[in-house]
Amino acid sequence: MNANKKPLELQADIERMELELTKWNARRSLTPTERQVEAIELGGCVLLRDRTDPHSMYYNRIKGFGAGDVPRLQEILARYPDSEAAPCFDMTPDRMGPEASRALADAGFLPAEQLAFLAAEPSEAAEEGGAVTASPFDIRLVTERAAETFIRWIEASSPGQSIADATIERTKGYFRQPHFRNYMIEIDGRPAAMASLFLHGAEAYLANDYTFDAYRGRGCQTALIRRRLADAARLGAKAVYTDVVFGTPSHANMEKAGFRTAFVNTFWCKGL
């Protein structure tokens, strides 16, 4: 990551990029009905709200809440009118102080999940992680012809999920955009692993890493990380970010590839 950036500057950059990724994810979401996600600025917060799905934690988040927004807490919550659903407060370390935490706890919210956000400079990460080394796998970039197959892989990654043909037809174009590149590894004719690279300006984000159970532990994700870092560098990205559950094998894989942990956020949720 850029050594000249202060921790809070880097955090702000990642938060901004993650917001852009969230907006894009809403557009290409594989739900039967197109999501209607809006971003509302209120005080020091950005309120993400999905009018089509008030129960989605990911698309109904409040980013930036801190001590200065405590007096607005009820006004913020009033923007989410569904009585059976509550938003999730996406809290960064600099804002999760005693006053904000106490206000959320008094309103019935509790810390439920955490994510580690990581950063790297593509050229440095490529050198450290060996991104220029030939992959032992045949990594395919999703094209127009492969887009439907890729979506069927996504369907297979979540048992019980069923994606209608009409939804695939409506969304498949999103998965082969110049700024949203998707990758597939097939082994012995079967789906093995997949991942995405999101580009915005001079920044990139690694997302949607998934390896099917039968192929875990064989280096698929390491190969996909290195390929995306190399592509990000080739496409002009000056910084690349990602998020993982802290302490997981994915976290270790990212750090091995040259990423460094920038911060860990906490999701405060209600009704736990």
Side-chain angles (χ1 to χ4, degrees):
M1 70 183 74
N2 191 331
N4 296 322
K5 284 192 175 180
K6 297 178 180 179
L8 290 181
E9 292 175 331
L10 181 59
Q11 176 184 287
D13 287 347
I14 295 175
E15 283 279 283
R16 173 178 44 77
M17 184 63 168
E18 195 274 336
L19 181 59
E20 292 298 330
L21 175 61
T22 301
K23 293 176 182 177
W24 174 255
N25 283 340
R27 292 180 62 190
R28 61 95 184 172
S29 177
L30 295 169
T31 51
T33 303
E34 292 186 59
R35 292 189 182 275
Q36 298 179 24
V37 176
E38 55 188 351
I40 305 165
E41 294 187 11
L42 180 59
C45 304
V46 174
L47 282 59
L48 289 168
R49 185 173 65 179
D50 185 353
R51 292 184 175 275
T52 59
D53 184 6
H55 294 271
S56 168
M57 186 178 81
Y58 180 70
Y59 291 112
N60 293 278
R61 281 184 290 153
I62 294 150
K63 300 174 70 69
F65 183 82
D69 298 294
V70 168
R72 298 187 180 91
L73 179 56
Q74 293 308 314
E75 181 184 359
I76 290 170
L77 294 176
R79 297 296 185 102
Y80 299 85
D82 191 315
S83 61
E84 297 182 359
C88 168
F89 285 80
D90 184 348
M91 302 287 289
T92 51
D94 60 312
R95 293 183 176 268
M96 201 175 65
E99 187 175 352
S101 299
R102 187 177 301 110
L104 291 180
D106 289 345
F109 292 84
L110 294 172
E113 297 182 16
Q114 291 184 308
L115 281 180
F117 288 81
L118 300 89
E121 292 184 7
S123 58
E124 293 183 1
E127 182 177 347
E128 293 178 23
V132 295
T133 303
S135 170
F137 304 104
D138 179 18
I139 300 176
R140 296 165 53 199
L141 181 67
V142 172
T143 61
E144 180 178 3
R145 178 175 293 183
E148 181 172 346
T149 299
F150 185 76
I151 294 174
R152 290 301 182 193
W153 283 26
I154 295 174
E155 181 182 51
S157 71
S158 299
Q161 180 179 210
S162 179
I163 302 174
D165 291 343
T167 299
I168 293 176
E169 188 63 30
R170 173 174 58 83
T171 59
K172 64 183 181 181
Y174 289 111
F175 292 88
R176 51 180 179 83
Q177 294 295 315
H179 70 286
F180 186 59
R181 302 163 66 86
N182 292 277
Y183 303 81
M184 313 163 69
I185 293 178
E186 191 174 68
I187 297 176
D188 298 329
R190 298 180 60 189
M194 54 189 173
S196 305
L197 172 66
F198 176 72
L199 298 145
H200 183 76
E203 297 173 310
Y205 208 104
L206 306 193
N208 307 319
D209 301 61
Y210 184 83
T211 302
F212 289 89
D213 288 348
Y215 300 99
R216 291 181 179 172
R218 296 175 61 170
C220 293
Q221 283 303 327
T222 296
L224 286 168
I225 292 168
R226 292 176 176 176
R227 168 64 183 272
R228 287 175 291 167
L229 284 172
D231 282 2
R234 179 176 58 82
L235 294 167
K238 305 302 182 185
V240 59
Y241 312 124
T242 192
D243 61 83
V244 295
V245 177
F246 185 88
T248 58
S250 293
H251 193 172
N253 286 339
M254 290 297 180
E255 293 213 337
K256 184 178 179 181
F259 282 85
R260 297 293 179 268
T261 301
F263 66 96
V264 178
N265 73 350
T266 304
F267 295 104
W268 288 64
C269 304
K270 197 172 184 180
L272 302 176

